[in-house]
Amino acid sequence: MRILFSKLFLIILLSTVITLSSSAQGVYPNVENQRSDSIDIVHTHLELELDIGARYLSGYADVTITPKIQFLKHVPLDLLQYDVDSIVGPTGNLSFNYDDTLLTIDLGLFYSITDTITLRIFYQGTPKNEGWGGFKFSGSFGYQVGAGFEAKPHNVGRYFYPCFDNFRERCTYSFGITVEAGNKVTCNGTEQSVQTLPGNKVRYEYAIDQTLPSYLVSVAAGPYHDIIFKVDGLADSIPVELFSSNSNTNPMRLSFQNLEDAVRIYESYFGEYAFDRIGYYSAPGMSGAMEHAGNIAYMSGAIDGTTDWETLMAHELSHHWWGNLATCLTPEDMWLNEGFASFCERLFLEHKYGWNRAREDFEQNKYDVLRFAHVNEEYHRAISGVPHEYTYGTHVYDKGAMVVQNLREFLGDSLFISTMTGFLQERRFDTMSSIGLQDYITQNTPLDASEFFPFWVFEGGFPDYVVDSVVTIPNGQEYEVQTFIQQKLNSAPEFYGKIPLEIAFISATNDTVILKDTVDGRLTMWNHILPFAPSLTIVNPNERLQFATTVDAFNIDRDGGVLAGNTFLGYSISNYTGQAMQPLRIEHHWAPPDDFRTMPERAIRISDSRYWKVIGSTDSMTVTAQGILQGTANGAFLDTTVLSFPGDSILLLYRESPADEWAEYSSYTLNHAGPGTKVAMLIISDLVEGEYAIGAYDAVLGNAESIIGSLKHGWNIIPNPAADSFIIDHPNAPLVKSIKVIDMTGQVVLKAFYQEGIPLQVGNISAGNYVVTLEFQDGTSSSKPIILQ
Ligand SMILES: [Zn+2]
């Protein structure tokens, strides 16, 4: 599902209480799923009359069940705010209890696992909705949207028919839907018959052989005009039916002109399309779309005769693998549905239009995540284990898409294809979980997925990779090149495991070699032989891996201006005298440029949230750059640490390379919006290659430990060295969320939630040097060494 303009909703911050959980990582208890332990729903038939004009539904549901336990006597079903007239079972009329939410049916007798029972539930009423999900009427159309952003549980089958509203229960369906003549009905599956009934009515019969969970069940009715064609899938041709709410069906044909490409792309990555047909219906009054199997609800505004919205088309189609074929077992693992579908939008763009088009989309997505995810959703979260209010949020969709792309890089495309296809086949018409996917990859590839999932899926934050230095040793006609790659962290508790990174090595005459190798831990050294001595290196030159760097890269061949894109730094070129294209790349690193440093003559603190790296010669041009510093909520707290206190004076710091010391840059101006304000305009009048960071001279303290630093970093381990236990003495205990003890190989040997003054027991950890890392509520962290005896 996709809601459009979702940020308007998500910007509203909701407060939550973080509770200690004793469950294993990635395993989420779920009350709704428990009913499926004792009862299996095997089939549901809905025989309903839908009076669109009167906004009224009446008829019955035949729910066929088999007990999974002995002595089953009661069947609880979800059904929201209908009048239940009667229920008929194998022994006749059955008694029931109904509180407008839960319908509990007394079977009268005990049934056992060899029995199959059909319960006919007569009900009627005005269908309700929760805003986005539920049953909606719009003009002369009526349709069910099976999932709700706010509803708990998120499945909202109960707004339409009696069911188990969980992600686990699946059954086959058939439909007999009666409407006033002149309307068409579309449901999951394929049309079986159309009958004209007395009283100017018409009954449509549909059936689907594939099993569905309640949120994917779909009925839509209204004066539709259908478009029927076939697309060539990899093995078979697949029937397609599009339901236009407009009698001119051309816009819908045109808006779906690349549907066949999308089908082929997803089949080639994830296996054959598994449902009877592909279907989309125009849903007037909807914003966004919902992936009901074979019968997608699609906002009518996106059916405009252009392909402008085709990533929405692609997103919903891709759910027929990720979500519809295998469904996340619990909402905490919604990234398996929505992160994959959001990734699939870019997979479609890549294979339809080339990597550069997909890259643009990935870059915009990454910018949004790095800038807003922790603001929208309190802190940089793990994508697995999100609470109910963020099930359909920025982390799940947008960071989820980044993580899937990284998983693809981790596996390589051919292993990604075989593993994802194999995993979906194994979980076919069943549930899936993060742990299950991790285990499947480990068991079916030479790779160990525990080098990926604990960092990217079960923890929040991001790594950032930079070349620290390159050492070149001539060796005959060739060069031995040692490349030192640093990993930096944004809000992540520990250094990430192995991930393949690309680095472009560029000679003085613009020869380029791109190498791909793994990086791991705080510092990685690569040893390679190159045909030249590199004068320039570019990390992740194609932006295939998704981490905490956003990039604006252009080729310059004349004077002109460029607006700030993903780097907060717009620039203009003058006095251009170059002969050929001059590449100019600006990287915005969402990570601290260094550990805390002091400048010799003054007390300076350096931004711990971002810095810029400019790559490319500016010898043949003058570059003037302009950016805004913001320490406000409006600016998503970009520069809170340096723009936090009145009396600070802001500086632009520069160094040619990471090996150099920072110094104040020579040609820039900073126009503070006023004393004590948290917004300033930065103008760099002569931008050159190198690194730029924002610093603040702390006029109040005049010493190296800033106020913000002491708020977070002025803490102690008592005692140190420690034998059996130690305590953390932190001056602002409420800031601290958790404690980790990490050994010298980067392994976390102990993890605990912080409780002020409570000793942490370490007697069972072997003696040696360790690092204690405190994770703060805002997702940042601070580390100090400890010796355990
Ligand atoms: Zn979706």
Side-chain angles (χ1 to χ4, degrees), residues 359 501-507 511-517 526 528-532 536-544:
R359 165 159 83 172
L501 183 69
E502 281 185 342
I503 297 183
F505 295 84
I506 302 163
S507 77
D511 292 328
T512 303
V513 170
I514 295 179
L515 298 175
K516 192 172 189 174
D517 208 336
W526 287 4
H528 292 287
I529 304 288
L530 287 181
F532 53 77
L536 206 64
T537 53
I538 294 176
V539 173
N540 200 29
N542 297 308
E543 278 93 43
R544 284 201 170 268

Side-chain angles (χ1 to χ4, degrees), residues 21-29 330 332-333 382-385 433-436 438-439 449-460 493-494 740 748 751 775:
S21 166
S22 59
S23 66
Q25 193 177 45
V27 176
Y28 310 108
T330 65
E332 286 87 350
D333 265 341
I383 58 169
S384 178
S433 67
S434 299
I435 287 289
Q438 174 183 301
D439 292 347
S450 71
E451 288 179 338
F452 185 90
F453 278 70
F455 308 96
W456 295 97
V457 175
F458 299 123
E459 288 282 7
E494 57 201 300
K740 284 180 182 172
V748 177
K751 186 174 176 180
E775 193 184 2

Side-chain angles (χ1 to χ4, degrees), residues 292-368:
H292 312 116
N295 202 38
I296 294 164
Y298 200 71
M299 71 175 199
S300 43
I303 304 167
D304 60 358
T306 74
T307 54
D308 292 353
W309 296 91
E310 65 180 353
T311 53
L312 183 64
M313 168 195 82
H315 176 108
E316 306 305 332
L317 179 70
S318 73
H319 274 307
H320 287 70
W321 289 264
W322 296 99
N324 299 6
L325 183 56
T327 307
C328 58
L329 174 63
T330 65
E332 286 87 350
D333 265 341
M334 185 54 71
W335 77 279
L336 292 168
N337 292 21
E338 298 298 351
F340 270 87
S342 302
F343 160 81
C344 283
E345 295 175 32
R346 284 106 199 175
L347 189 69
F348 167 75
L349 292 175
E350 176 182 345
H351 288 276
K352 178 70 189 163
Y353 303 108
W355 170 247
N356 273 341
R357 179 67 190 85
R359 165 159 83 172
E360 273 173 35
D361 223 62
F362 268 124
E363 282 295 296
Q364 179 64 50
N365 178 66
K366 185 178 12 158
Y367 173 95
D368 288 342

